[in-house]
């Protein structure tokens, strides 16, 4: 199981992300970014893959774009459905693996927001996902997904991180009204390109005494940009654009040194070849 498959994580996901991104939000503006993509490319339907608790899916619906949503985690889907119902939104939300789900229809835009694609642990599953998503797109349809340029300095540090080398991340109030602290320990394997480790949740009572501890695993794969170009080509896509973050800054697709100039999320815009 992965971090997001656990009921306690799904129920508290929105709460701790709010604190995590309070001072620095690496995804600032992402909802409006995907809203604009949906307006531009979504005329034949939109699906939010790895929709989580609905940060993009519900935002689109609130702005008049009714999209489908799917996520590998049944718990995340459950929370997303509850939020949709609370806002009187009738949405089709279903659990599924992006490598083999069948929505029973095609779309003109498939969205994988934030780190959804990076949770695929190897090239085999990445290829399976890209081909499956391609089957869900109309000819010329658009797939958008995120990676980030691996940062050697961070990789070097994570190579030497042990499973119990926990670092404090944040403190927040959980869904039960208790104070919790989150710690994580993430290591990096340069051969598999996988970041793996654990998140530790410590729960406190109102006197500051630890009354609970949970360990939840996490695994994500780093994908280099030229690897992504090859994956896209292999799976029937062409690269239309790459954005650095959500503020409209585009990468120069013809500059081989562009990867070394910026440390940012890369948002890929891929078109299914006709």
């Amino acid at each position: 199981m992965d971090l997001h498959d656990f009921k306690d994580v799904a129920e508290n996901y929105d709460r701790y992300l709010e604190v995590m991104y309070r001072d620095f939000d690496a995804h600032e503006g992402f909802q409006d970014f995907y809203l604009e993509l949906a307006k531009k490319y979504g005329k034949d339907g939109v699906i939010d893959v790895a929709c989580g608790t609905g940060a993009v899916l519900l935002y689109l619906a609130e702005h008049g774009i009714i999209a489908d949503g799917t996520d590998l985690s049944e718990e995340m889907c459950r929370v997303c459905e509850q939020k949709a119902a609370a806002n009187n939104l009738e949405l089709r939300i279903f659990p599924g693996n992006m490598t083999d789900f069948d929505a029973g229809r095609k779309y003109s835009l498939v969205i994988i927001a934030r780190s959804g694609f990076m949770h695929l642990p190897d090239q085999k599953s990445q290829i399976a996902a890209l081909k499956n998503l391609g089957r869900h797109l109309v000819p010329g349809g658009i797939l958008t997904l995120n990676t980030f340029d691996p940062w050697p300095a961070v990789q070097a540090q994570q190579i030497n991180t042990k499973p119990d080398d926990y670092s404090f991340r944040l403190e927040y109030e959980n869904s039960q009204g208790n104070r919790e602290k989150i710690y994580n320990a993430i290591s990096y394997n340069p051969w598999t390109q996988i970041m793996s480790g654990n998140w530790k949740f410590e729960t406190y009572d109102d006197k500051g005494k630890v009354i609970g501890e949970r360990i939840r695993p996490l695994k994500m794969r780093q994908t280099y940009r030229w690897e992504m170009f090859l994956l896209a080509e292999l799976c029937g896509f062409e690269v239309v654009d790459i954005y650095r973050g959500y503020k409209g800054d585009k990468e120069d697709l013809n500059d081989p040194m562009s990867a070394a100039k910026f440390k940012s999320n890369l948002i890929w815009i891929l078109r299914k070849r006709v």
Side-chain angles (χ1 to χ4, degrees):
M1 296 181 73
D2 190 65
L3 176 73
H4 306 94
D5 298 322
F6 291 88
K7 183 175 184 289
D8 59 279
V9 173
E11 289 177 344
N12 290 297
Y13 187 69
D14 293 337
R15 290 172 174 268
Y16 71 70
L17 280 194
E18 181 181 0
V19 176
M20 184 179 294
Y21 295 130
R22 183 173 294 163
D23 296 324
F24 172 71
D25 187 354
H27 303 104
E28 182 181 359
F30 78 104
Q31 292 171 309
D32 286 325
F33 180 89
Y34 290 115
L35 177 60
E36 291 307 309
L37 284 185
K39 290 177 179 178
K40 183 175 182 179
Y41 297 116
K43 66 180 180 65
D44 293 319
V46 180
I47 184 168
D48 182 2
V49 176
C51 65
T53 59
V56 172
L57 184 65
L58 301 183
Y59 191 78
L60 294 180
E62 289 164 359
H63 289 78
I65 295 175
I66 302 303
D68 291 344
T70 183
D71 197 284
L72 180 62
S73 167
E74 292 186 17
E75 293 297 338
M76 287 287 190
C77 288
R78 181 180 59 81
V79 173
C80 187
E81 288 173 335
Q82 290 174 346
K83 291 168 64 176
N87 287 280
N88 297 314
L89 296 171
E90 294 186 11
L91 302 176
R92 183 185 178 211
I93 302 166
F94 58 94
N97 192 323
M98 70 176 76
T99 61
D100 60 9
F101 78 88
D102 183 0
R105 59 159 297 184
K106 294 184 183 292
Y107 306 87
S108 55
L109 176 64
V110 173
I111 294 170
I112 310 178
R114 297 192 282 196
S115 60
F117 185 77
M118 295 176 64
H119 287 275
L120 297 168
D122 50 48
Q123 285 189 344
K124 181 180 179 181
S125 55
Q126 289 177 328
I127 290 169
L130 289 171
K131 288 186 175 180
N132 187 47
L133 296 171
R135 286 190 288 270
H136 281 84
L137 281 168
V138 300
I142 295 294
L143 165 64
T144 178
L145 59 88
N146 288 23
T147 63
F148 61 79
D149 278 330
W151 191 2
V154 174
Q155 288 176 327
Q157 180 181 355
Q158 291 178 338
I159 285 172
N160 297 310
T161 300
K162 297 181 177 61
D164 57 352
D165 287 342
Y166 286 105
S167 298
F168 174 74
R169 287 298 302 271
L170 61 93
E171 180 178 318
Y172 77 107
E173 184 178 297
N174 68 18
S175 59
Q176 305 301 315
N178 293 112
R179 185 165 57 92
E180 283 196 341
K181 291 183 180 180
I182 299 178
Y183 303 81
N184 65 11
I186 304 296
S187 61
Y188 177 68
N189 184 325
W191 308 110
T192 62
Q193 299 170 216
I194 287 179
M195 301 161 52
S196 61
N198 294 305
W199 283 42
K200 180 170 71 173
F201 297 78
E202 286 184 347
T203 309
Y204 295 79
D205 63 16
D206 56 5
K207 296 182 175 61
K209 179 182 177 181
V210 177
I211 57 174
E213 179 181 295
R214 308 182 307 281
I215 304 295
R216 300 293 182 246
L218 179 69
K219 182 182 290 186
M220 298 172 66
R221 186 177 190 275
Q222 298 186 359
T223 301
Y224 290 87
R225 75 169 62 193
W226 297 117
E227 184 182 6
M228 194 66 235
F229 272 103
L230 291 172
L231 286 168
E233 176 70 21
L234 176 66
C235 297
F237 292 92
E238 60 178 333
V239 178
V240 177
D241 281 312
I242 309 174
Y243 288 88
R244 294 192 309 275
Y246 299 97
K247 302 188 179 188
D249 298 321
K250 292 185 181 181
E251 288 285 271
D252 183 350
L253 302 184
N254 299 310
D255 181 0
M257 293 303 296
S258 183
K261 296 176 183 177
F262 305 97
K263 304 181 186 74
S264 62
N265 290 319
L266 300 180
I267 300 98
W268 296 78
I269 309 297
L270 309 178
R271 178 181 289 119
K272 179 180 177 180
R273 290 198 298 266
V274 177

